[in-house]
Amino acid sequence: MCGIIGYTGTDDSALDILLTGLNGLEYRGYDSAGVALANDSLDIYKREGEVSALEAAVPEAPGSVSAGIGHTRWSTHGPPSDENAHPHTDEDGRVAVVHNGIIENYQALRDELVARGHEFTSDTDTEVIPHLIEEQLEAGENRQTAFRQVVDRLEGSYAVAAVFEGSDVIYAARHESPLVIGLGDEGNYLASDVPAFIEYTDQVIYLEDGEFATLTPDEVVVRDEAGEIVEPSIEEIAWDPEDAGKSGYDHYMKKEIHEQPRAIRNCLRNRLAEFEDRVVLEELDDIERPARIHLVACGTSYHAALYGAQLLREHGIPTQSFLASEYRAESVAVDAETLVIGVTQSGETADTMRALREANGAEATTLAVTNTVGSSAARECDHVCYVRAGPEIGVAATKTFASQQVALAMVATALVDDPDPALVDALSELPDQIQQVLDESHARALADAYVDADAYFFVGREYTAPVALEGALKMKEITYKHAEGFAAGELKHGPLALVTADTPVFALLTEGSRLEKTLGNVKEIQARDAPVIAVTDVPAEVERYVDHVLEVPSSHPKLTPILANIQLQLASYWVANQLNRSIDKPRNLAKSVTVE
Ligand code: F6R
């Protein structure tokens, strides 16, 4: 949510590097963008709209610029506009600031500044920062101290970076919002996330909460909250820059849907001991069988959590899944006997992080199931199981959902004494089966046929119920059409009133998820004239009851829903494509939601 980029180097290519970085971060917010170039004076360019609008506004030959910061915004305080776009400056234009997160005490700070005569040009919470820095400079503080003192006054969650006129130093700080530093040969980089600079370097330092960093072209200094210099650990990112590109696909989402066989292979690698019918998750070695498990997550990750919770319950461990935003340690039984699993692609989602922090506070054992190495979830939980899906740039989660489902299936298997050997075998076959779905799907033709529908409904039971919710979420977020997912049995308790001839219903009819019962619900749907599209591994059993079939190979009943979801992803993608939607950057959304 909002993307920060910074570069300071020995060459003159700061503007190019900042724009490349902003393109790589646009999934974090895309309602406006801006850069501050640190010359003798600060040159600020900012525009409402996507990064392309900013690119059109910057000079082709900006002269020699070796340092600067940039930002792509997802609005919180004030609507998208040129004025509200970052960077923001003090009144004299001596310092420029970009910020991600929310400054909870900004109104008090702003009132204070206005009372002292400051004039503001934006609605943002961010703008208080440069004004406060200006005051500190006027009071005689040096830049570093001024920056630090102001950051110390901020309440809330933030990542913030500043540059000053006539200087190539970047100052940065983080508190509950990610910041990563890239170490290059020609200079150093700062960003909210690695895709911003992966083209230039794979050597990174993840800033910890409360740390401050000072970047110059040839040095990075990190200090802790007390101002002491710390020796940060340098990590190597195991990505190819190509992983973060579109590789010839029209959209990242399409590329990421098609990357699922590889993502699942990576997730499983070295974790299946097939000859022993076991899952080997060394990450869980130290976890005793818990008295109970809580899964906390949001959005798509919550759907994966619902799926994982069913698997864990089947293994006899009392398990509940919670929307992270609704999780309160004081009102659920969470204690040292509880394992709390945070399911989060980004590892930075504010709601999930708050829930995990409350669980840590209650002395629960915490486990992050995340895609993001070095993320807050990975660092703050007691244990971490990476899903290894690779970078996901499309705002709509696809490959990470499948990877989370597989990782949770492995977690459930690893936590029990008597794993199901058939499940272990079936896991190893999943990547090829996903490939088969991708190769043979005719979801596109169906999407074309039903692109004008009034709404889309999705129904499933047991293991397919979370997939029905996910199918609907995907459809609504990228097509902007009404879509709802239901446990199939619930339809007759109200939602059936919405079903008409213009509301196609995707029915997940896979073996092992009480198919016969769902078929009964299908009849109720058809009696209301709605077309029914079955997603099924047993077409011969269901085709006479439905209007269309999207087939998936047979797998273990607990895993077939993972295959069924691929068909739903494709159906949503093709409806959105027909409607010419902004598939990778749906309106109003951003990938990493770092505000509560
Ligand atoms: C939907 C989507 C979101 C995220 C949610 C949680 O396609 O991507 O619903 O799943 O914002 O994000 P993470 O998994 O990063 O915690």
Side-chain angles (χ1 to χ4, degrees):
M1 184 147 285
C2 296
I4 290 176
I5 174 76
Y7 173 71
T8 173
T10 49
D11 54 4
D12 292 335
S13 51
L15 179 58
D16 284 348
I17 291 171
L18 295 178
L19 293 174
T20 305
L22 290 179
N23 278 301
L25 287 174
E26 221 180 0
Y27 66 93
R28 298 179 68 87
Y30 31 84
D31 58 43
S32 53
V35 288
L37 306 176
N39 281 319
D40 291 341
S41 61
L42 283 175
D43 297 332
I44 313 276
Y45 303 94
K46 38 193 211 174
R47 282 293 179 276
E48 179 182 344
E50 297 190 0
V51 174
S52 51
L54 173 68
E55 282 171 330
V58 296
E60 271 181 34
S64 113
V65 184
S66 62
I69 52 177
H71 188 267
T72 176
R73 178 171 186 250
W74 183 86
S75 311
T76 55
H77 296 66
S81 66
D82 289 357
E83 293 73 28
N84 287 334
H86 299 208
H88 292 284
T89 63
D90 62 317
E91 278 157 306
D92 298 332
R94 283 186 293 168
V95 55
V97 171
V98 291
H99 153 243
N100 177 15
I102 292 204
I103 300 166
E104 287 167 4
N105 58 338
Y106 96 97
Q107 193 60 56
L109 294 171
R110 188 168 166 139
D111 292 348
E112 206 184 272
L113 285 158
V114 168
R116 290 199 289 270
H118 288 256
E119 284 179 20
F120 284 78
T121 57
S122 80
D123 308 315
T124 64
D125 50 349
T126 309
E127 202 186 344
V128 297
I129 303 172
H131 285 261
L132 288 168
I133 293 177
E134 174 192 341
E135 287 193 342
Q136 295 306 107
L137 292 177
E138 276 163 13
E141 300 293 0
N142 66 34
R143 289 166 175 168
Q144 183 171 317
T145 310
F147 178 76
R148 227 196 136 90
Q149 287 175 341
V150 170
V151 169
D152 283 345
R153 293 200 62 193
L154 306 179
E155 288 168 16
S157 60
Y158 50 80
V160 54
V163 285
F164 292 82
E165 66 179 2
S167 162
D168 58 6
V169 184
I170 300 174
Y171 299 90
R174 75 155 271 175
H175 179 67
E176 295 180 4
S177 204
L179 266 186
V180 55
I181 292 167
L183 306 171
D185 295 333
E186 309 289 327
N188 293 311
Y189 307 80
L190 174 81
S192 303
D193 201 357
V194 173
F197 56 65
I198 188 67
E199 200 170 304
Y200 309 108
T201 180
D202 59 2
Q203 303 294 305
V204 306
I205 296 169
Y206 291 99
L207 273 195
E208 301 283 342
D209 268 351
E211 286 183 343
F212 287 78
T214 314
L215 288 78
T216 59
D218 43 27
E219 195 183 32
V220 170
V221 178
V222 178
R223 289 187 165 79
D224 64 14
E225 263 162 315
E228 298 298 322
I229 293 185
V230 293
E231 198 56 57
S233 78
I234 299 174
E235 298 182 31
E236 185 173 320
I237 296 291
W239 295 356
D240 192 317
E242 187 56 24
D243 288 345
K246 275 196 216 153
S247 307
Y249 285 94
D250 294 340
H251 298 98
Y252 282 110
M253 181 180 177
K254 190 170 176 204
K255 175 188 173 228
E256 288 156 5
I257 289 173
H258 283 265
E259 278 174 345
Q260 289 178 105
R262 179 155 70 108
I264 300 306
R265 255 181 221 111
N266 282 341
C267 185
L268 296 172
R269 194 181 321 110
N270 298 333
R271 287 169 163 174
L272 294 185
E274 287 162 61
F275 299 116
E276 298 162 49
D277 295 327
R278 274 192 315 122
V279 163
V280 183
L281 274 185
E282 281 165 9
E283 299 90 325
L284 310 191
D285 277 357
D286 300 334
I287 303 183
E288 305 267 308
R289 189 185 162 105
R292 71 191 73 76
I293 297 181
H294 292 168
L295 290 111
V296 293
C298 306
T300 290
S301 296
Y302 175 66
H303 300 150
L306 288 172
Y307 168 81
Q310 291 192 32
L311 298 175
L312 287 155
R313 276 196 294 268
E314 283 248 322
H315 286 304
I317 309 178
T319 305
Q320 280 175 279
S321 18
F322 295 85
L323 286 167
S325 54
E326 293 292 316
Y327 191 78
R328 289 285 173 276
E330 66 265 18
S331 57
V332 292
V334 52
D335 57 21
E337 303 290 297
T338 313
L339 172 64
V340 179
I341 305 179
V343 187
T344 166
Q345 185 285 127
S346 60
E348 301 293 349
T349 301
D351 291 318
T352 309
M353 285 313 303
R354 189 203 40 76
L356 287 169
R357 286 175 186 136
E358 286 196 19
N360 277 334
E363 291 180 7
T365 302
T366 48
L367 167 68
V369 173
T370 183
N371 192 35
T372 311
V373 177
S375 58
S376 299
R379 285 178 294 116
E380 294 184 36
C381 285
D382 301 316
H383 305 269
V384 55
C385 171
Y386 287 113
V387 304
R388 306 178 183 161
E392 187 175 71
I393 309 293
V395 163
T398 52
K399 64 175 177 173
T400 55
F401 178 62
S403 303
Q404 288 169 340
Q405 288 176 299
V406 168
L408 288 167
M410 287 194 286
V411 168
T413 311
L415 282 178
V416 294
D417 303 326
D418 53 344
D420 173 1
L423 185 82
V424 180
D425 276 353
L427 278 169
S428 66
E429 286 166 23
L430 262 187
D432 289 344
Q433 292 183 317
I434 295 175
Q435 189 62 55
Q436 190 183 335
V437 177
L438 293 169
D439 292 345
E440 296 173 5
S441 172
H442 58 273
R444 180 177 191 169
L446 274 178
D448 290 356
Y450 289 114
V451 71
D452 294 324
D454 287 348
Y456 302 88
F457 297 120
F458 299 76
V459 294
R461 261 173 201 271
E462 295 196 345
Y463 294 106
T464 57
V467 171
L469 301 182
E470 174 58 13
L473 177 62
K474 222 72 324 173
M475 187 66 92
K476 71 183 89 165
E477 76 185 309
I478 62 167
T479 69
Y480 315 155
K481 292 263 215 159
H482 180 215
E484 293 297 333
F486 304 103
E490 274 297 292
L491 215 56
K492 56 188 176 298
H493 297 292
L496 203 54
L498 297 171
V499 169
T500 70
D502 294 318
T503 60
V505 179
F506 289 83
L508 293 150
L509 293 163
T510 63
E511 213 163 20
S513 285
R514 294 213 284 165
L515 164 75
E516 343 61 62
K517 294 253 181 237
T518 311
L519 271 177
N521 306 127
V522 161
K523 295 214 180 85
E524 294 151 16
I525 294 163
Q526 284 192 318
R528 275 81 191 170
D529 295 330
V532 176
I533 301 147
V535 185
T536 183
D537 56 338
V538 282
E541 280 181 42
V542 307
E543 60 200 358
R544 62 182 177 282
Y545 303 111
V546 299
D547 299 279
H548 309 277
V549 167
L550 289 172
E551 191 175 344
V552 297
S554 267
S555 176
H556 191 288
K558 293 176 185 168
L559 301 184
T560 317
I562 299 177
L563 298 168
N565 185 60
I566 313 288
Q567 292 282 23
L568 301 186
Q569 292 172 342
L570 290 166
S572 296
Y573 173 83
W574 287 115
V575 172
N577 197 58
Q578 271 278 338
L579 294 170
N580 216 8
R581 299 294 191 233
S582 172
I583 292 180
D584 285 334
K585 292 178 263 177
R587 71 181 176 206
N588 302 340
L589 301 181
K591 191 146 189 81
S592 180
V593 186
T594 51
V595 292
E596 275 187 56

